[in-house]
Amino acid sequence: MRIYLDIDGVLADFVGATAKLHDFDPAVVTQWDYYPLIGMKESTFWDGVRDAGKHFWKYIQPYGWMSELFDECRRRGQVTLLTAPPPRTDCRAAMVQGRIDWIHYWFGDDFRDYFVGCRKELLAAPDTVLIDDSDSNCLKFAAAGGRTILFPQPWNNNRAISERVRYAVECLPHLPGSEVA
């Protein structure tokens, strides 16, 4: 089984990084496009990310559960990290450079099992599972023939689940082709 593990919102605290960048309380984020919740226009939000450059992406802090989740997934299948570039083209080059630096910092210089792309559903197959914090990404991946686990976060439909890693890990053994070693 191939497990595709999303980075931002699952392994890395993108919301916390943007809260620090734009000076807001990350606890207010209860929806995917949270610009209105922080009193900001979408363009202003992404202007700040663009201006911060690749260092913004490189230094996003991982969630405390990152290693546990990654290791549990690796016990159950082949793990590939996935990340989607931001919607604005003027932010993408810095994101790709910074995100690859982030991956190498946290997973080692030799780690190469990752994809950067907007259409995660293109990787869907019956023997794959996507763990992602986006309702939309999970719906598209499932529609394309893959299996999904919506990682619980305050901005998605699994917001009521507090034991995030436990939930994701407990869902994995029930997927066809998974065997815990």
Side-chain angles (χ1 to χ4, degrees):
M1 173 175 61
R2 169 74 60 187
I3 300 168
Y4 293 114
L5 195 53
D6 180 42
I7 295 178
D8 291 311
V10 176
L11 299 180
D13 188 4
F14 176 80
V15 170
T18 60
K20 186 176 179 181
L21 179 68
H22 291 300
D23 193 30
F24 67 89
D25 179 359
V28 304
V29 177
T30 57
Q31 66 189 43
W32 185 259
D33 289 326
Y34 54 92
Y35 325 108
L37 300 176
I38 61 172
M40 189 173 281
K41 291 182 186 177
E42 181 178 1
S43 60
T44 305
F45 177 90
W46 288 111
D47 285 347
V49 171
R50 179 202 59 219
D51 294 346
K54 80 173 195 172
H55 295 288
F56 171 81
W57 300 97
K58 181 178 181 177
Y59 295 112
I60 292 177
Q61 290 300 300
Y63 286 112
W65 59 71
M66 180 181 77
S67 293
E68 177 188 4
L69 180 58
F70 182 81
D71 291 345
E72 288 293 336
C73 288
R74 201 168 47 178
R75 288 181 58 221
R76 290 161 172 79
Q78 296 174 305
V79 178
T80 300
L81 302 180
L82 295 184
T83 192
R88 287 199 7 200
T89 57
D90 61 346
C91 298
R92 290 183 184 159
M95 178 273 185
V96 171
Q97 293 169 351
R99 179 54 75 218
I100 291 171
D101 288 346
W102 185 93
I103 290 168
H104 289 163
Y105 179 80
W106 292 104
F107 294 91
D109 287 334
D110 294 332
F111 188 87
R112 299 284 183 266
D113 210 351
Y114 59 87
F115 284 108
V116 178
C118 297
R119 299 199 44 215
K120 296 175 183 179
E121 69 273 12
L122 295 176
L123 301 170
D127 62 340
T128 63
V129 61
L130 171 67
I131 301 175
D132 201 298
D133 63 310
S134 165
D135 297 282
S136 175
N137 287 344
C138 286
L139 288 171
K140 290 175 189 175
F141 196 87
R147 298 185 179 270
T148 64
I149 298 170
L150 180 63
F151 192 79
Q153 286 289 17
W155 49 83
N156 67 35
N157 286 331
N158 278 349
R159 67 181 52 85
I161 299 170
S162 60
E163 297 290 327
R164 293 172 175 99
V165 174
R166 182 174 166 204
Y167 170 78
V169 169
E170 287 180 355
C171 288
L172 282 171
H174 303 291
L175 297 169
S178 63
E179 298 175 25
V180 177

